[in-house]
Amino acid sequence: MKAGYSLLLILLFLIPDSKAQDVKVIDPPFWWANMPVTELQIQLYGENIGSYRASVNYDGVEIKRQIAVDSPNYLFIYLDISEKAEVGKLDIILKNGDKSITVPYELLEREPAEGRYQGFDSRDVIYLMMPDRFANGNPDNDTIEGMLESADRSNPQRRQGGDIQGVVENLDYIKDLGVSAVWFTPLFENDMTTKYGAYHGYAATDLYKVDRRFGSNEEYKAMIETVHENGMKVIMDMIHNHIGDQHWWMKDLPTKDWVHDFEKLGQTNFRGSVASDPYASEFDSRKLVDGWFVPEMPDLNQDNELLTDYLIQNTLWWIEYTGVDGIRMDTYVYPDKDYMARWSKEVLEAYPTFNIVGEAWVNTVAGEAYWQEDKDGVDDGYDSELPSLTDFQFAFAVRKAFNEDFGWTEGLSQLYYVLSQDFLYSDPMKNVTFLDNHDMSRFFEHIGKREAEFKMALAWLMTTRGTPQIYYGTELLMGHENRGGDDEVWRQTMPGGFPNDSRSVFTREGRTQKENEIHEYTKKLIHWRNSSPAIHEGKLVHFIPQDNVYVYFRVHKDQTVMVVMNNSEENKTMERLRFAEILDQFKTGQNVMNNKTIDLSDNFSVDAKKTVILELR
Ligand code: CA
């Protein structure tokens, strides 16, 4: 007894105020000098830490406020970090009576801005991928001791083992395709039980950590640097609407109102329209915003400023730490919309070259357009501050266009009508356009695996207005057996990305003839698009679809492009006179896919089930 007591005394004497013992979490783990914002909120978590008071002695750094909350185990400290504060180590001294804890903290030097946080726009082509499903470069991280779920290749609803290393090893494949930006579904730690599976990343259990089954924070940062070195950009997926129910906060919530009450509110009504509806009831509005997305994803309460400061700062931290170029914000219409506007505004003020696309999954063009910044006359002057939208109306239109018979409003007319409402957007060119994504059946499957139509839709995506996004596997004509199904059905692994795969689609030899054909088509289209000012910035002029043929032009001072989409079963003759307002200035058109020149001085013919893209001369 006595010996043990003495040993304890000696230990206490040796480490009188160690951070490791008393403070379990410091968020953010570090910061930088000379950041675009001067305020820094530090969240400390540790037993009874709320009963301590903090002080700092560092030139240019001052404590503005410190806040204890409902749980005694948190302390929120707000620092003002002025321009005078230099790079270096500072100690935060916590005192409670005669007890003292020293929390070491660091202000790092910012990296030069060049080549970082570049944003993205209509000159880019975005490749959307799920890191768990792309390639497993490090089978050693498939199982991590202490984490709740391991990879299980026998069950598509579970993790498959893909990771950051797998992306790095196959970056040449992505680059070769010509895409200029990669959107990764979230890499945040999702340490959730196997019951739900959280390979998708949308149930974060720590907003400052990359999931160790994907790699480390350092690997993520290094990967982004490698992507940059290869002339591409990275779009990070984020979620501020919810977290995973096994987030460490949930065991000991900072405040009683940190998340909304599931018992009271249940699930959201999933009706994004409510947020923009001038007649919405209180009941529906509350349900949309405060209801939970799913029972295992607690809904964050963005009325709590400690939380919103934490979230905004978390975004700035990831941008500064990694140099990432853009964010795709998940479930944009579900959180408090004034918070989302504040978040977007503050992020873009801090990083003006950055860009954000919000997932606004609603059902009408007007409802979609509501969420774009700089809209006049809506909702008592509400401005979302959001530059770009995931253009679901575009996706819905093209998905109908090739599944319906042609008519006044049906079939190809869908494409015409969806774009004819572009006056509703403040800048439709900023919309991210797509045929499918990780939450929808694959386009190829959706149109009944018809290759000619698939190519036509892809050509439309790459030549009409907007910033196109393709979903991994599109370049391989990926479909799936079950059109309904659940998410995992359209989230297949890339053959060749995983140990013991029987073939590799990452090489020409490993792909089937059909896969190679569509791969070449996609690649050629994207590479051509990359060099086309008319597609990047040109004015769109389209003609009402007639007889199942849709014709449009992209007009730019340095280039004019004509696109003829013939969705009928017959070859069609184009009446030159109808397009004279543009064709009068040109004599010939060069087909960008086969370099053949056609004479435009007279009527000309376009083959059945083909899209022809012509550079006019
Ligand atoms: Ca792995």
Side-chain angles (χ1 to χ4, degrees):
M1 274 289 278
K2 205 174 173 221
Y5 187 63
S6 308
L7 184 64
L8 184 66
L9 273 181
I10 291 164
L11 280 174
L12 282 172
F13 181 73
L14 285 175
I15 29 173
D17 54 12
S18 135
K19 160 238 161 188
Q21 276 184 329
D22 303 292
V23 182
K24 294 194 187 83
V25 183
I26 306 165
D27 282 346
F30 49 82
W31 198 246
W32 295 265
N34 299 305
M35 279 289 272
V37 293
T38 54
E39 186 179 88
L40 171 64
Q41 177 209 69
I42 298 177
Q43 180 202 249
L44 299 179
Y45 181 65
E47 201 182 331
N48 222 18
I49 215 80
S51 65
Y52 287 74
R53 278 293 159 268
S55 63
V56 168
N57 185 4
Y58 195 85
D59 273 351
V61 177
E62 202 183 315
I63 293 185
K64 302 300 273 185
R65 291 183 284 155
Q66 40 190 317
I67 300 159
V69 288
D70 296 338
S71 163
N73 304 320
Y74 290 85
L75 184 64
F76 290 85
I77 305 169
Y78 282 82
L79 300 178
D80 181 74
I81 302 176
S82 76
E83 285 169 12
K84 280 188 288 179
E86 286 180 12
V87 169
K89 291 182 171 150
L90 62 104
D91 285 339
I92 301 166
I93 312 289
L94 301 175
K95 277 201 157 49
N96 179 7
D98 54 3
K99 284 181 281 183
S100 167
I101 303 171
T102 301
V103 181
Y105 204 75
E106 196 165 4
L107 296 180
L108 304 177
E109 185 172 357
R110 297 183 70 194
E111 290 177 40
E114 202 193 334
R116 310 180 96 223
Y117 30 90
Q118 304 167 83
F120 56 88
D121 58 34
S122 55
R123 291 168 295 182
D124 289 305
V125 176
I126 302 168
Y127 189 75
L128 160 60
M129 72 142 79
M130 303 198 82
D132 181 58
R133 304 293 156 121
F134 194 69
N136 186 353
N138 178 12
D140 290 344
N141 64 17
D142 293 1
T143 297
I144 301 264
E145 211 186 317
M147 295 196 84
L148 295 169
E149 190 189 12
S150 297
D152 176 3
R153 289 283 282 146
S154 70
N155 184 346
Q157 292 182 319
R158 301 282 170 261
R159 306 186 85 85
Q160 302 298 301
D163 49 35
I164 292 170
Q165 185 57 33
V167 173
V168 173
E169 285 172 8
N170 292 291
L171 208 55
D172 285 351
Y173 170 85
I174 299 169
K175 186 182 179 178
D176 172 64
L177 208 49
V179 298
S180 55
V182 189
W183 155 20
F184 296 93
T185 53
L187 289 141
F188 296 114
E189 182 196 272
N190 274 226
D191 192 13
M192 300 279 283
T193 49
T194 51
K195 187 179 155 204
Y196 314 126
Y199 66 86
H200 49 67
Y202 292 98
T205 55
D206 191 326
L207 291 171
Y208 277 99
K209 283 198 189 110
V210 164
D211 196 292
R212 284 178 287 157
R213 291 160 295 188
F214 290 138
S216 61
N217 285 12
E218 292 77 13
E219 277 180 77
Y220 179 51
K221 175 176 157 60
M223 176 193 77
I224 292 175
E225 284 161 1
T226 306
V227 174
H228 284 167
E229 281 159 18
N230 280 277
M232 294 180 285
K233 304 165 178 179
V234 174
I235 300 171
M236 182 175 188
D237 208 327
M238 274 195 183
I239 324 98
H240 283 186
N241 183 60
H242 51 260
I243 50 176
D245 65 0
Q246 283 158 73
H247 190 291
W248 62 271
W249 277 334
M250 296 306 293
K251 296 182 189 86
D252 184 4
L253 286 173
T255 65
K256 292 191 188 90
D257 68 351
W258 204 252
V259 300
H260 289 118
D261 188 346
F262 185 67
E263 296 298 314
K264 255 198 236 163
L265 294 152
Q267 264 181 275
T268 176
N269 51 26
F270 298 101
R271 298 289 183 116
S273 55
V274 168
S276 55
D277 175 4
Y279 311 121
S281 64
E282 245 337 278
F283 178 86
D284 288 348
S285 301
R286 275 194 55 127
K287 189 90 173 146
L288 169 72
V289 174
D290 298 351
W292 290 24
F293 201 72
V294 286
E296 61 270 23
M297 295 180 183
D299 192 79
L300 293 170
N301 175 15
Q302 295 90 10
D303 290 330
N304 184 312
E305 258 191 59
L306 289 173
L307 171 64
T308 52
D309 289 347
Y310 179 99
L311 293 173
I312 291 171
Q313 211 168 263
N314 178 261
T315 303
L316 302 181
W317 188 87
W318 281 109
I319 297 171
E320 187 60 36
Y321 176 59
T322 64
V324 72
D325 303 289
I327 288 172
R328 177 267 188 187
M329 180 52 95
D330 186 62
T331 43
Y332 202 87
V333 309
Y334 292 87
D336 178 83
K337 66 186 183 186
D338 291 319
Y339 163 68
M340 289 318 302
R342 182 190 148 208
W343 169 78
S344 190
K345 187 166 190 276
E346 291 188 18
V347 170
L348 293 169
E349 273 171 5
Y351 297 95
T353 59
F354 197 73
N355 195 16
I356 301 172
V357 55
E359 184 206 18
W361 189 334
V362 290
N363 294 90
T364 60
V365 175
E368 188 85 62
Y370 173 87
W371 293 99
Q372 196 167 42
E373 65 186 351
D374 298 334
K375 286 273 295 167
D376 291 329
V378 294
D379 204 4
D380 298 326
Y382 176 71
D383 187 335
S384 72
E385 307 283 349
L386 179 68
S388 173
L389 305 161
T390 52
D391 194 341
F392 275 89
Q393 313 321 308
F394 180 104
F396 298 152
V398 67
R399 289 164 80 88
K400 285 182 196 150
F402 292 100
N403 269 350
E404 293 176 350
D405 290 336
F406 181 69
W408 190 267
T409 57
E410 298 83 22
L412 279 202
S413 299
Q414 294 272 359
L415 306 183
Y416 167 79
Y417 278 111
V418 75
L419 296 188
S420 69
Q421 298 166 75
D422 270 3
F423 63 90
L424 290 165
Y425 294 104
S426 53
D427 190 351
M429 280 294 275
K430 289 183 177 167
N431 287 10
V432 170
T433 50
F434 55 98
L435 308 176
D436 53 15
N437 65 26
H438 58 308
D439 291 323
M440 308 169 104
S441 59
R442 285 184 178 270
F443 184 78
F444 186 53
E445 194 60 42
H446 189 78
I447 58 163
K449 291 194 167 96
R450 287 172 299 150
E451 289 160 42
E453 284 82 352
F454 184 81
K455 284 184 178 172
M456 292 168 77
L458 202 55
W460 189 58
L461 177 69
M462 293 298 164
T463 55
T464 190
R465 62 86 170 143
T467 305
Q469 166 250 298
I470 58 169
Y471 183 40
Y472 78 97
T474 297
E475 73 278 15
L476 300 167
L477 214 59
M478 258 191 199
H480 39 84
E481 292 316 309
N482 189 345
R483 264 174 90 172
D486 215 343
D487 290 337
E488 70 277 2
V489 169
W490 43 82
R491 296 173 178 177
Q492 309 96 311
T493 54
M494 288 282 275
F498 295 77
N500 308 320
D501 281 353
S502 58
R503 68 183 185 111
S504 173
V505 294
F506 293 104
T507 64
R508 163 166 275 283
E509 301 71 44
R511 295 192 285 262
T512 64
Q513 195 191 329
K514 262 185 190 174
E515 284 168 347
N516 272 323
E517 194 189 314
I518 197 70
H519 187 272
E520 264 162 47
Y521 181 82
T522 311
K523 182 175 158 180
K524 188 149 198 181
L525 199 51
I526 295 174
H527 278 268
W528 171 76
R529 187 190 192 282
N530 287 345
S531 64
S532 169
I535 305 299
H536 295 165
E537 313 177 305
K539 189 174 111 174
L540 175 68
V541 178
H542 63 175
F543 291 76
I544 301 163
Q546 278 183 6
D547 216 10
N548 217 353
V549 180
Y550 179 37
V551 177
Y552 55 95
F553 293 82
R554 300 298 304 276
V555 182
H556 183 269
K557 64 178 174 52
D558 299 324
Q559 185 190 42
T560 296
V561 172
M562 179 184 196
V563 183
V564 183
M565 189 191 293
N566 178 7
N567 190 34
S568 79
E569 304 284 351
E570 300 152 17
N571 299 349
K572 295 280 182 187
T573 300
M574 298 293 103
E575 304 288 340
R576 196 197 160 282
L577 259 182
R578 189 174 167 225
F579 313 110
E581 65 190 85
I582 295 169
L583 288 186
D584 271 356
Q585 305 156 58
F586 300 98
K587 290 193 171 69
T588 60
Q590 189 175 25
N591 185 321
V592 305
M593 298 303 277
N594 62 18
N595 291 329
K596 283 185 186 153
T597 298
I598 62 169
D599 180 13
L600 296 175
S601 61
D602 204 346
N603 295 347
F604 60 97
S605 171
V606 174
D607 290 349
K609 292 287 174 191
K610 275 259 164 32
T611 291
V612 175
I613 307 168
L614 302 170
E615 259 184 68
L616 304 188
R617 302 278 156 87

